[in-house]
Amino acid sequence: MPLVRISLKKGKPAAYREAIAEGVYQALRETFNVPEGDRFVTISEHEDGTFVYDPNYLGIRRTDDLVIIQLTVSNTRPREQKQALYKRIVEKLTDRPGLRPEDVFINLVEVLPENWSFGNGVAQYVT
């Protein structure tokens, strides 16, 4: 059910990008009980001038290794579970591919379960 969008500056190798996608997926599995195989990820790489951020917003010192992760999920989880997800994503991405915690920006977008169609023109979560 999560839709993951990952944005970063262009120039990182494929293994680096895959490590980010895999780390986010594993964190979702561990904290959001996402079922195996529920993995839908897009990765966008940006040229200079098309990836703009404040390097010090809220006193967090970011570098050009900044990764912006936007997760669209069903609005079914409490605040504590979301906070556990953010923490686990940072742990995973710090371990592999070696990101600094300050360079992991996460945005969670919640939608109603009926706002998903995984194919065939059917809203699979509508009962």
Side-chain angles (χ1 to χ4, degrees):
M1 118 327 293
L3 174 60
V4 180
R5 293 181 181 97
I6 299 168
S7 298
L8 65 157
K9 286 191 83 169
K10 190 172 183 177
K12 299 294 186 187
Y16 183 94
R17 296 187 307 270
E18 177 55 33
I20 295 170
E22 181 63 20
V24 171
Y25 173 64
Q26 290 303 321
L28 283 161
R29 298 228 339 117
E30 293 171 15
T31 61
F32 267 34
N33 303 315
V34 169
E36 185 174 342
D38 190 353
R39 186 176 188 204
F40 299 91
V41 181
T42 62
I43 301 174
S44 301
E45 294 183 281
H46 300 270
E47 301 282 346
D48 288 339
T50 66
F51 190 76
V52 180
Y53 64 92
D54 187 297
N56 297 301
Y57 183 67
L58 295 178
I60 301 168
R61 297 190 62 87
R62 295 168 193 84
T63 71
D64 278 348
D65 286 334
L66 176 67
V67 174
I68 298 175
I69 301 163
Q70 185 175 60
L71 306 160
T72 303
V73 301
S74 293
N75 65 342
T76 58
R77 294 173 182 84
R79 178 182 301 152
E80 296 77 21
Q81 201 170 10
K82 296 171 196 175
Q83 292 171 321
L85 172 66
Y86 306 149
K87 181 179 181 195
R88 193 64 181 136
I89 288 173
V90 168
E91 291 169 349
K92 291 281 191 184
L93 300 187
T94 301
D95 181 50
R96 183 170 178 263
L99 283 166
R100 298 167 59 249
E102 299 89 344
D103 286 327
V104 181
F105 180 110
I106 303 166
N107 172 244
L108 191 68
V109 178
E110 295 182 297
V111 300
L112 296 171
E114 69 243 24
N115 292 336
W116 296 96
S117 174
F118 292 89
N120 297 323
V122 175
Q124 284 82 3
Y125 291 156
V126 174
T127 55

